[in-house]
Amino acid sequence: MNSYHKEQIETLNMVYCHLKKISVQEKQHLLSQISDYLLFRDAVDEFLDEHFENICTQKCYQSKVSACCSREGIITFFGDVVVNVLVSNETEINALEMVLKKPNNGFKCIYLGDDGCLWRIKPIICEMFLCDTAKDLVFKEKASANKLWVELKQREKHFRWPDRPVLFDDLEKYFMAAGYSSPLMYLNNSPGLLRVKELAKKSHRQLSQRHRNGDRCV
């Protein structure tokens, strides 16, 4: 088992075991916490099914030339794992564990099975990736689709980009408060994302100070 498999399976088991032992009420609270995110993912799925399903299936999946599902090149956030485990059944979780225990001798992502991605709610990086070829084919003909995609990309930031309170940061902090740690907790480990947080806090402090000083033109 290489380092990629190890960090993936350890995080999967950590999240699964914790969620299995918490109360029904606490789990319901977490499900409520991710409800807006799931609605967002439904909107993205609908958009991709309408505009890109045939193109991506033919150009990448069937031809086996996909760059987005390359071998062990998929970035998964800790929040991705939490969301997926919360909405997956035990059979689906076991399937992920089993595939991670096997060596990946192929050219594609370990999670890419015969019927597509093994995740019920696939990692956000995967969901929001469109190659230039696919975008050119669709957006040149459908300007309205391009506009909607830009709006969806902006909505994505509200869940994982920590220049404000975001879901993925909250989920990491919830598990950290329970004593857990994972290399996938990028929002609390990555120097770049920690810098984003610090700059956001600094901007908020400056804005608050201007309000206290009576400057209403902000």
Side-chain angles (χ1 to χ4, degrees), residues 163-180:
D163 59 351
R164 73 201 85 188
V166 292
L167 174 66
F168 277 26
D169 193 19
D170 290 341
L171 294 176
E172 287 186 11
K173 289 176 178 176
Y174 167 81
F175 275 83
M176 291 169 66
Y180 296 102

Side-chain angles (χ1 to χ4, degrees), residues 43-58:
V44 176
D45 284 342
E46 183 178 345
F47 173 86
L48 295 176
D49 287 346
E50 179 179 355
H51 299 289
F52 286 90
E53 182 178 20
N54 293 333
I55 292 174
C56 295
T57 298
Q58 183 179 24

Side-chain angles (χ1 to χ4, degrees), residues 25-78:
Q25 292 79 6
E26 190 169 357
K27 188 171 183 180
Q28 285 299 320
H29 175 73
L30 288 170
L31 286 168
S32 176
Q33 196 173 353
I34 70 170
S35 59
D36 285 345
Y37 179 69
L38 295 179
L39 290 174
F40 162 70
R41 293 298 299 265
D42 286 343
V44 176
D45 284 342
E46 183 178 345
F47 173 86
L48 295 176
D49 287 346
E50 179 179 355
H51 299 289
F52 286 90
E53 182 178 20
N54 293 333
I55 292 174
C56 295
T57 298
Q58 183 179 24
K59 292 289 185 181
C60 285
Y61 184 68
Q62 291 178 348
S63 66
K64 300 182 179 180
V65 297
S66 172
C68 57
C69 295
S70 59
R71 186 176 184 269
E72 287 159 16
I74 303 304
I75 296 174
T76 58
F77 288 86
F78 189 82

Side-chain angles (χ1 to χ4, degrees), residues 99-115:
V99 77
L100 286 169
K101 289 180 177 179
K102 300 176 182 178
N104 185 6
N105 297 319
F107 64 91
K108 62 184 181 180
C109 172
I110 190 79
Y111 293 121
L112 189 58
D114 293 335
D115 297 317

